[in-house]
Amino acid sequence: MQDNPLENSPMAFFAGIVLAFIGAAAAVFYLFVRTSSESLIMPGPTFRLKHFVIALVVLAAGAALASFARPRRSSMSDGTQYNR
């Protein structure tokens, strides 16, 4: 994985984090706000499984992107600060 363009990419990492938070917020929205009977934002007890599944897919895609693009050190052979 030395030639992976996503590795050590701060922009891709940030985009993945943002996507994960958007997916998590959408999932919470469809679980709690959309299913409550007296919601102030969008009244109605209808639960749309398709929208919830799409929110989970966006959450998973953002988490995967962020995990592949997370910042890493230059090589694995570098000594860690915890070695004695």
Side-chain angles (χ1 to χ4, degrees):
M1 245 171 76
Q2 306 321 21
D3 299 329
N4 186 358
L6 283 179
E7 191 172 331
N8 289 331
S9 174
M11 183 63 95
F13 178 73
F14 180 71
I17 293 293
V18 168
L19 273 177
F21 278 115
I22 288 173
V28 167
F29 173 78
Y30 281 110
L31 276 180
F32 295 111
V33 175
R34 193 64 186 152
T35 58
S36 66
S37 61
E38 295 185 15
S39 171
L40 295 175
I41 298 172
M42 295 179 122
T46 58
F47 178 72
R48 295 188 171 95
L49 182 63
K50 180 176 69 171
H51 293 164
F52 182 68
V53 169
I54 289 173
L56 290 180
V57 167
V58 169
L59 171 67
L65 179 63
S67 74
F68 282 116
R70 70 181 171 83
R72 294 178 177 89
R73 279 187 280 196
S74 61
S75 69
M76 295 300 289
S77 63
D78 292 343
T80 64
Q81 59 181 344
Y82 301 113
N83 282 349
R84 292 186 176 199

